[in-house]
Amino acid sequence: MNRSLVSSIVAAATLTAGANAAITITYSTTVAPTYENLITFDEPTTPAGPNPTNQFASMGITMQTGNGDGPFVAPGAAFGTALGADNLWVGAAFGAFMNFDTPITNFSAQWFDTSGPASFFGGGAAIVALLDGDENNAQVFFVNNPTGNNNTTGPSWVNIVATDGMVFNEVRLVGFSNPFPEGYVDDVSWTVPAPSALALLGMGGLVATRRRRCN
């Protein structure tokens, strides 16, 4: 599903951080764990330049920008001192959107964004994790000043962990700069629980939902 800049910003801005305490999001200088499935954009089957949104369909993930384009892959060294020499997803205009065919419990990636500090006129960014597009029941981590592509010391590692039977199948990394923020994404990894574990997680999530409704 294509996402426009406007809908991305409105959705993220209207969500309540901490709405789902069983999903923890961190944005840190500490290198995030590498989970079971990994995309570095250096894979031999990943050509430089524009890639279709289903480039990694065999791994169960769809990757696109907010305007519906697939990832544009290029050497990071050409775009900033913090991005390194290896390939990455460059210029994720209007946000980077990742949808997973099967719900996941863990996600990590390195992410830089040119939006700059949050202000009345724009800036800042958000990391969003949600299930089945339910924007009214998502976890949002607001980033007041995302690390840009020339900052070698600021936080850049995103880590999302679901516990207590919760899962998610979509991650959005959205910058709020006006008019055209650019995001840079690398080393995307995630964990898909085994079918038996997924069934148990679903039961746990149902119990957790019932408890929240009763409180």
Side-chain angles (χ1 to χ4, degrees), residues 61-172:
I61 183 174
T62 298
M63 310 179 74
Q64 62 186 41
T65 62
N67 61 2
D69 293 335
F72 184 93
V73 176
F79 296 88
T81 57
L83 303 183
D86 62 339
N87 290 346
L88 39 67
W89 177 354
V90 176
F94 313 133
F97 295 83
M98 288 156 278
N99 291 80
F100 300 88
D101 294 348
T102 303
I104 64 176
T105 53
N106 304 84
F107 171 90
S108 69
Q110 190 171 31
W111 171 51
F112 298 85
D113 193 274
T114 62
S115 292
S119 70
F120 180 79
F121 300 100
I127 303 165
V128 184
L130 64 164
L131 179 65
D132 296 334
D134 183 3
E135 294 171 346
N136 293 314
N137 187 26
Q139 184 72 2
V140 182
F141 185 95
F142 289 99
V143 179
N144 180 62
N145 187 12
T147 300
N149 49 328
N150 288 307
N151 185 345
T152 59
T153 60
S156 64
W157 287 97
V158 175
N159 190 38
I160 306 176
V161 178
T163 58
D164 297 338
M166 300 303 297
V167 291
F168 55 100
N169 61 3
E170 182 176 353
V171 174
R172 304 176 186 178

